[in-house]
Each structure stands twice: as structure tokens, then as C-alpha cells.
Amino acid sequence: MVHTFKCGAPVLDFIGTLRARRNAVPTEMLISPESLEAWFRESGLVDANTPCEASDLEHAVALREAVYRLVVATLNGDDYGAEALAVVNGTARTPSAVPQLVQRGDRRVEATPQQALSSIARQAVELLGGPEAALLKECSRGECTQVYLDRSHGSRREWCAMDPCGNRIKAAAYRARKRTGARAVTPERSSR
């Protein structure tokens, strides 16, 4: 599996395909039409290959960035930008992926890239226009910009996922405590 799915909603995992947004060189996961095809399949949005072209990738990145701007506005309590709204709403208006029943009651979803992107846009509308918008949080590890749904008891989740973000923060806190403890012991030894 090329992509990660840890944010609690496929649309949030989709905007997480551009990682470490604040870094000088963020990590882009949608680097080719094939990587977009892989994301559609790995996310469970579709069950079959969805052949994508360069224009589909461009539309996907534009949608991702528009959704991200709306999510950030939600987190900050700001109004939505007209351009981001137009991209998300315009994409949501097109037909989305439709599940079908196949032999023996199995469910299968096949979609064009446009239908798959419409499904993502509709998820964004449902999330941002619904009660779960209040559960949105950004990972507290400074280098990470993943946004996730905090469904934890008491809303105390701090990281997008334990691996790697939670582990890195906990390890850094442990090292800081060890350094502080070592400094506190050192002056006592020197006074003896």
C-alpha cells in the first residue's frame, strides 16, 4: 500500500496526500495518474482500477487543495473562500461513484475519475456541513499537517496517529525529561 489512511474519513486522508505542508519541500503523494488510481483503490472508494490521465490528476490536486482550505477555515473559525467553495461544490454536483450488487450479493464500486472525485467532494460537504466538523483537529506534531477526526473519549487525541507522530512526540518528551533530570543531578554532584 502506497498511501496511508489514519484520519478517520477518506476525504481527510485525501487532503493528507500532501504531507508536511509547512516544510520547505512538502511530500507530495499524488505524483502521477497511477498514484491517484492507487489512492482511489486503496481508500476503498472504488474496487476496480480507475484509469486516470494527467488532467484527472490536476483536477484531483485542485480539489484536494480546495477542501484543505475549507478545512483550515473551519479549524480557524473563518469564512470559506469563494474559489474553494466553487471547486468543491462544482465537483460535488457531478455524478458520484455508485455501488452495484454483483453475484451472490457482493458489493462492487466502479467509477470514472470524475465520479470518484465527486464522491470525495460530497464527503467534504457532508463532513464540513455536519456535526463531525466539530471533531476536526490538526496533528500537534509541528512538522505534520494531517487533519483528523478526534473521536477519542474526552477529545484528548493529539496526533493524527501514534505511528509516526505520537511516537516521535513521546520520544522527544522522554529525551527532554532525561536531559532535565541529568542537569538536575549534575549540580548536586558538583557541590559535594
Side-chain angles (χ1 to χ4, degrees), residues 1-7 9-19 28-50 52 57 60 63-64 113 115-121 123 146:
M1 206 147 75
V2 175
H3 301 284
T4 59
F5 302 91
K6 58 187 174 183
C7 298
V11 67
L12 297 177
D13 295 316
F14 185 68
I15 66 173
T17 59
L18 182 61
R19 299 183 184 153
E28 176 64 75
M29 300 305 295
L30 297 179
I31 55 173
S32 67
E34 293 77 22
S35 63
L36 179 60
E37 291 171 25
W39 191 92
F40 288 151
R41 194 176 49 258
E42 291 172 14
S43 70
L45 193 63
V46 298
D47 299 313
N49 241 5
T50 303
C52 295
L57 180 61
L63 175 63
R64 178 190 69 194
Q115 290 171 318
L117 291 173
S118 177
S119 295
I120 292 168
Q123 288 176 15
Q146 294 284 80

Coordinates of all heavy atoms in Angstrom, one line a residue, residues 1-7 9-19 28-50 52 57 60 63-64 113 115-121 123 146:
M1 N 0.8 -1.2 0.0 CA 0.0 0.0 0.0 C 0.9 1.2 0.0 O 1.8 1.4 0.8 CB -0.9 0.0 1.2 CG -2.1 0.8 1.0 SD -3.7 0.3 1.7 CE -3.7 0.7 3.4
V2 N 0.6 2.1 -0.9 CA 1.4 3.4 -1.1 C 0.9 4.5 -0.1 O 1.7 5.2 0.4 CB 1.3 3.9 -2.5 CG1 2.0 5.2 -2.7 CG2 1.9 2.8 -3.5
H3 N -0.4 4.6 0.1 CA -1.0 5.7 0.8 C -1.4 5.2 2.2 O -1.5 4.1 2.5 CB -2.2 6.2 0.0 CG -1.9 6.6 -1.3 ND1 -1.3 7.8 -1.6 CD2 -2.1 6.1 -2.5 CE1 -1.1 8.0 -2.9 NE2 -1.6 6.9 -3.5
T4 N -1.6 6.2 3.1 CA -1.9 6.0 4.5 C -3.4 6.5 4.7 O -3.8 7.5 4.1 CB -1.0 6.6 5.5 OG1 -1.0 8.0 5.3 CG2 0.4 6.1 5.3
F5 N -4.0 5.8 5.6 CA -5.4 6.1 5.9 C -5.6 6.1 7.5 O -5.9 5.1 8.0 CB -6.4 5.1 5.2 CG -6.2 5.1 3.7 CD1 -5.3 4.3 3.2 CD2 -6.8 6.0 3.0 CE1 -5.0 4.3 1.8 CE2 -6.6 6.1 1.6 CZ -5.7 5.2 1.0
K6 N -5.4 7.2 8.1 CA -5.4 7.3 9.5 C -6.2 8.5 10.1 O -6.2 8.7 11.3 CB -3.9 7.4 10.0 CG -3.2 8.6 9.5 CD -1.7 8.6 9.8 CE -1.0 9.7 9.2 NZ 0.5 9.6 9.5
C7 N -6.9 9.2 9.2 CA -7.5 10.4 9.7 C -9.0 10.3 10.1 O -9.6 11.3 10.5 CB -7.3 11.5 8.6 SG -5.6 11.9 8.2
A9 N -11.6 9.7 8.1 CA -12.5 10.0 7.0 C -11.7 10.0 5.7 O -10.7 10.6 5.6 CB -13.3 11.3 7.2
P10 N -12.2 9.3 4.6 CA -11.4 9.3 3.4 C -11.1 10.7 2.9 O -10.0 10.9 2.4 CB -12.3 8.5 2.4 CG -13.1 7.6 3.3 CD -13.4 8.4 4.6
V11 N -12.0 11.6 3.0 CA -11.7 13.0 2.5 C -10.5 13.6 3.2 O -9.8 14.3 2.6 CB -13.0 13.9 2.5 CG1 -13.4 14.2 3.9 CG2 -12.7 15.2 1.7
L12 N -10.4 13.3 4.5 CA -9.2 13.9 5.3 C -8.0 13.2 4.9 O -6.9 13.8 4.8 CB -9.5 13.8 6.8 CG -10.7 14.6 7.3 CD1 -10.9 14.3 8.8 CD2 -10.5 16.1 7.0
D13 N -8.1 11.8 4.6 CA -6.9 11.1 4.1 C -6.5 11.6 2.7 O -5.3 11.7 2.4 CB -7.2 9.6 4.0 CG -7.4 9.0 5.4 OD1 -6.6 9.3 6.3 OD2 -8.4 8.2 5.5
F14 N -7.5 12.0 1.9 CA -7.2 12.6 0.6 C -6.4 13.9 0.7 O -5.4 14.1 0.0 CB -8.5 12.8 -0.1 CG -8.3 13.3 -1.6 CD1 -7.8 12.4 -2.5 CD2 -8.7 14.5 -1.9 CE1 -7.6 12.8 -3.8 CE2 -8.6 14.9 -3.3 CZ -8.0 14.1 -4.2
I15 N -6.9 14.8 1.6 CA -6.1 16.1 1.7 C -4.7 15.8 2.4 O -3.8 16.6 2.2 CB -6.9 17.2 2.5 CG1 -7.1 16.8 3.9 CG2 -8.1 17.5 1.7 CD1 -7.7 18.0 4.7
G16 N -4.6 14.7 3.0 CA -3.3 14.3 3.6 C -2.3 13.7 2.6 O -1.2 13.3 3.0
T17 N -2.7 13.7 1.3 CA -1.8 13.2 0.3 C -0.7 14.2 0.0 O 0.3 13.9 -0.7 CB -2.5 12.8 -1.0 OG1 -3.2 13.9 -1.5 CG2 -3.4 11.6 -0.8
L18 N -0.8 15.4 0.5 CA 0.3 16.4 0.6 C 0.7 16.5 2.0 O -0.1 17.1 2.8 CB -0.1 17.8 0.0 CG 1.0 18.8 0.0 CD1 2.2 18.3 -1.0 CD2 0.5 20.1 -0.5
R19 N 1.8 15.9 2.3 CA 2.2 15.8 3.7 C 3.2 16.9 4.1 O 4.0 17.4 3.2 CB 2.8 14.4 4.0 CG 1.9 13.3 3.7 CD 2.4 12.0 4.0 NE 1.5 11.0 3.7 CZ 1.8 9.8 3.4 NH1 3.0 9.4 3.3 NH2 0.8 8.9 3.1
E28 N 4.7 15.2 -1.6 CA 3.5 15.0 -2.5 C 3.4 13.5 -2.8 O 4.3 12.9 -3.2 CB 3.7 15.8 -3.8 CG 2.6 15.5 -4.8 CD 1.3 16.1 -4.4 OE1 1.1 17.3 -4.4 OE2 0.4 15.2 -4.0
M29 N 2.2 13.0 -2.4 CA 1.9 11.6 -2.7 C 1.2 11.3 -4.0 O 1.2 10.2 -4.5 CB 1.1 11.0 -1.5 CG 1.8 11.1 -0.2 SD 3.5 10.3 -0.1 CE 3.1 8.6 -0.4
L30 N 0.5 12.3 -4.5 CA -0.1 12.2 -5.8 C 0.8 12.7 -6.9 O 0.7 13.8 -7.4 CB -1.5 13.0 -5.8 CG -2.5 12.5 -4.8 CD1 -3.8 13.4 -4.9 CD2 -2.9 11.1 -5.0
I31 N 1.8 11.9 -7.3 CA 2.8 12.3 -8.2 C 2.6 11.9 -9.6 O 3.3 12.3 -10.5 CB 4.2 11.7 -7.7 CG1 4.1 10.2 -7.6 CG2 4.6 12.4 -6.4 CD1 5.4 9.6 -7.3
S32 N 1.6 11.1 -9.9 CA 1.3 10.6 -11.2 C -0.2 10.2 -11.3 O -0.8 9.9 -10.3 CB 2.2 9.4 -11.6 OG 1.8 8.3 -10.7
P33 N -0.7 10.0 -12.5 CA -2.1 9.5 -12.6 C -2.2 8.1 -11.9 O -3.2 7.8 -11.3 CB -2.3 9.4 -14.1 CG -1.4 10.5 -14.7 CD -0.2 10.5 -13.8
E34 N -1.1 7.3 -12.0 CA -1.1 6.0 -11.4 C -1.2 6.1 -9.9 O -1.9 5.3 -9.2 CB 0.1 5.2 -11.8 CG 0.2 4.8 -13.3 CD 0.6 6.0 -14.2 OE1 1.2 7.0 -13.7 OE2 0.2 5.9 -15.4
S35 N -0.6 7.1 -9.3 CA -0.7 7.2 -7.8 C -2.1 7.7 -7.4 O -2.6 7.3 -6.3 CB 0.4 8.2 -7.3 OG 0.1 9.5 -7.8
L36 N -2.8 8.4 -8.2 CA -4.2 8.8 -8.0 C -5.1 7.5 -8.1 O -5.9 7.3 -7.2 CB -4.7 9.8 -8.9 CG -6.1 10.3 -8.8 CD1 -6.4 10.9 -7.4 CD2 -6.4 11.3 -9.9
E37 N -4.8 6.7 -9.1 CA -5.5 5.4 -9.3 C -5.4 4.6 -8.0 O -6.3 4.0 -7.5 CB -5.0 4.6 -10.5 CG -5.3 5.2 -11.8 CD -4.6 4.5 -13.0 OE1 -4.2 3.3 -12.8 OE2 -4.4 5.2 -14.0
A38 N -4.1 4.5 -7.5 CA -3.8 3.7 -6.3 C -4.6 4.3 -5.1 O -5.1 3.5 -4.3 CB -2.3 3.7 -6.1
W39 N -4.6 5.6 -5.0 CA -5.3 6.2 -3.9 C -6.8 5.8 -3.9 O -7.4 5.4 -2.9 CB -5.2 7.7 -3.8 CG -5.7 8.2 -2.5 CD1 -5.0 8.4 -1.3 CD2 -7.1 8.5 -2.1 NE1 -5.8 8.8 -0.3 CE2 -7.1 8.9 -0.8 CE3 -8.2 8.5 -2.8 CZ2 -8.3 9.2 -0.1 CZ3 -9.4 8.8 -2.2 CH2 -9.4 9.2 -0.8
F40 N -7.4 5.9 -5.1 CA -8.9 5.6 -5.2 C -9.1 4.1 -4.8 O -10.0 3.8 -4.0 CB -9.3 5.7 -6.7 CG -9.5 7.1 -7.1 CD1 -9.3 7.4 -8.5 CD2 -9.8 8.2 -6.3 CE1 -9.5 8.7 -9.0 CE2 -10.0 9.5 -6.8 CZ -9.8 9.7 -8.1
R41 N -8.2 3.2 -5.2 CA -8.4 1.8 -4.9 C -8.1 1.5 -3.4 O -8.8 0.9 -2.7 CB -7.5 1.0 -5.8 CG -7.7 -0.5 -5.9 CD -6.9 -1.2 -6.9 NE -5.4 -0.9 -6.8 CZ -4.8 0.0 -7.6 NH1 -5.4 0.6 -8.5 NH2 -3.5 0.2 -7.4
E42 N -6.9 2.0 -2.9 CA -6.5 1.7 -1.5 C -7.5 2.3 -0.5 O -7.6 1.8 0.6 CB -5.1 2.2 -1.3 CG -4.1 1.5 -2.1 CD -2.7 2.1 -2.0 OE1 -2.4 3.0 -1.2 OE2 -1.8 1.7 -2.8
S43 N -8.1 3.4 -0.9 CA -9.0 4.1 0.1 C -10.3 3.3 0.2 O -11.1 3.6 1.1 CB -9.3 5.5 -0.4 OG -10.1 5.5 -1.6
G44 N -10.6 2.4 -0.8 CA -11.9 1.7 -0.8 C -13.0 2.5 -1.5 O -14.1 2.0 -1.5
L45 N -12.6 3.6 -2.1 CA -13.6 4.4 -2.8 C -14.1 3.6 -4.0 O -15.3 3.7 -4.4 CB -13.0 5.7 -3.2 CG -13.9 6.8 -3.7 CD1 -14.9 7.3 -2.6 CD2 -13.1 8.0 -4.1
V46 N -13.2 2.9 -4.6 CA -13.6 2.0 -5.8 C -12.9 0.7 -5.6 O -12.0 0.5 -4.8 CB -13.1 2.6 -7.1 CG1 -13.7 4.0 -7.4 CG2 -11.6 2.7 -7.2
D47 N -13.5 -0.3 -6.2 CA -13.0 -1.7 -6.1 C -12.2 -2.1 -7.4 O -11.5 -3.1 -7.3 CB -14.2 -2.6 -5.9 CG -14.9 -2.4 -4.6 OD1 -14.3 -2.2 -3.6 OD2 -16.2 -2.3 -4.7
A48 N -12.3 -1.4 -8.4 CA -11.7 -1.7 -9.7 C -10.7 -0.6 -10.1 O -10.8 0.5 -9.5 CB -12.7 -1.9 -10.8
N49 N -9.9 -0.9 -11.0 CA -8.9 0.1 -11.5 C -9.7 1.3 -12.1 O -10.7 1.1 -12.8 CB -8.0 -0.5 -12.5 CG -6.6 -0.4 -12.1 OD1 -6.3 0.0 -11.0 ND2 -5.7 -0.8 -13.0
T50 N -9.3 2.5 -11.8 CA -9.9 3.7 -12.3 C -8.8 4.4 -13.1 O -8.1 5.2 -12.6 CB -10.4 4.6 -11.2 OG1 -11.3 3.8 -10.4 CG2 -11.1 5.8 -11.7
C52 N -6.6 6.8 -14.8 CA -6.6 8.3 -14.7 C -5.6 8.8 -15.7 O -4.6 8.2 -16.1 CB -6.1 8.7 -13.3 SG -7.3 8.3 -12.0
L57 N -5.5 14.0 -12.6 CA -4.6 14.3 -11.5 C -4.6 15.8 -11.2 O -4.7 16.2 -10.0 CB -3.1 13.9 -11.9 CG -2.1 14.2 -10.8 CD1 -2.4 13.4 -9.5 CD2 -0.7 13.8 -11.3
A60 N -7.8 16.5 -9.4 CA -7.7 15.9 -8.0 C -6.9 16.8 -7.1 O -7.3 17.1 -5.9 CB -7.1 14.5 -8.1
L63 N -8.9 19.9 -6.3 CA -10.0 19.6 -5.3 C -9.4 19.4 -3.9 O -9.9 19.9 -3.0 CB -10.7 18.3 -5.7 CG -11.8 17.8 -4.7 CD1 -12.9 18.8 -4.5 CD2 -12.3 16.4 -5.2
R64 N -8.3 18.7 -3.9 CA -7.6 18.5 -2.6 C -7.3 19.8 -1.9 O -7.5 20.0 -0.7 CB -6.3 17.6 -2.8 CG -5.6 17.4 -1.5 CD -4.2 16.8 -1.7 NE -3.3 17.8 -2.4 CZ -2.2 17.4 -2.9 NH1 -1.8 16.2 -2.9 NH2 -1.4 18.4 -3.5
P113 N -12.7 8.6 -13.0 CA -12.0 9.5 -12.1 C -13.0 10.7 -11.7 O -12.9 11.1 -10.5 CB -10.9 10.1 -12.9 CG -10.6 9.0 -13.9 CD -11.9 8.4 -14.2
Q115 N -16.2 10.6 -11.3 CA -17.2 10.1 -10.3 C -16.5 9.9 -8.9 O -17.1 10.2 -7.9 CB -17.8 8.8 -10.8 CG -18.7 8.9 -11.9 CD -19.1 7.6 -12.5 OE1 -18.3 6.7 -12.7 NE2 -20.4 7.4 -12.8
A116 N -15.3 9.4 -9.0 CA -14.5 9.2 -7.7 C -14.2 10.6 -7.0 O -14.4 10.7 -5.8 CB -13.2 8.5 -8.0
L117 N -13.9 11.6 -7.8 CA -13.6 12.9 -7.2 C -14.9 13.5 -6.7 O -14.9 14.2 -5.7 CB -12.9 13.8 -8.3 CG -11.5 13.4 -8.6 CD1 -10.9 14.2 -9.7 CD2 -10.6 13.5 -7.4
S118 N -16.0 13.3 -7.4 CA -17.3 13.8 -6.9 C -17.6 13.1 -5.6 O -18.1 13.8 -4.7 CB -18.4 13.4 -7.9 OG -19.6 13.8 -7.4
S119 N -17.3 11.8 -5.4 CA -17.6 11.2 -4.1 C -16.8 11.8 -3.0 O -17.3 12.0 -1.9 CB -17.2 9.7 -4.2 OG -18.1 9.1 -5.1
I120 N -15.5 12.2 -3.3 CA -14.7 12.9 -2.3 C -15.3 14.3 -2.0 O -15.3 14.6 -0.8 CB -13.2 13.0 -2.8 CG1 -12.6 11.6 -2.9 CG2 -12.4 13.9 -1.9 CD1 -11.3 11.6 -3.7
A121 N -15.7 15.0 -3.0 CA -16.2 16.3 -2.8 C -17.5 16.2 -1.9 O -17.7 17.0 -1.0 CB -16.5 17.0 -4.1
Q123 N -18.2 13.9 0.2 CA -17.8 13.6 1.6 C -17.4 14.9 2.3 O -17.6 15.1 3.5 CB -16.6 12.6 1.6 CG -17.0 11.2 1.2 CD -15.8 10.3 1.2 OE1 -14.7 10.6 1.7 NE2 -15.9 9.1 0.6
Q146 N -1.4 16.8 9.1 CA -2.6 16.0 8.9 C -3.7 16.5 9.7 O -3.6 16.8 10.9 CB -2.3 14.5 9.2 CG -1.2 13.9 8.4 CD -1.8 13.5 7.0 OE1 -1.9 14.3 6.1 NE2 -2.1 12.2 6.9

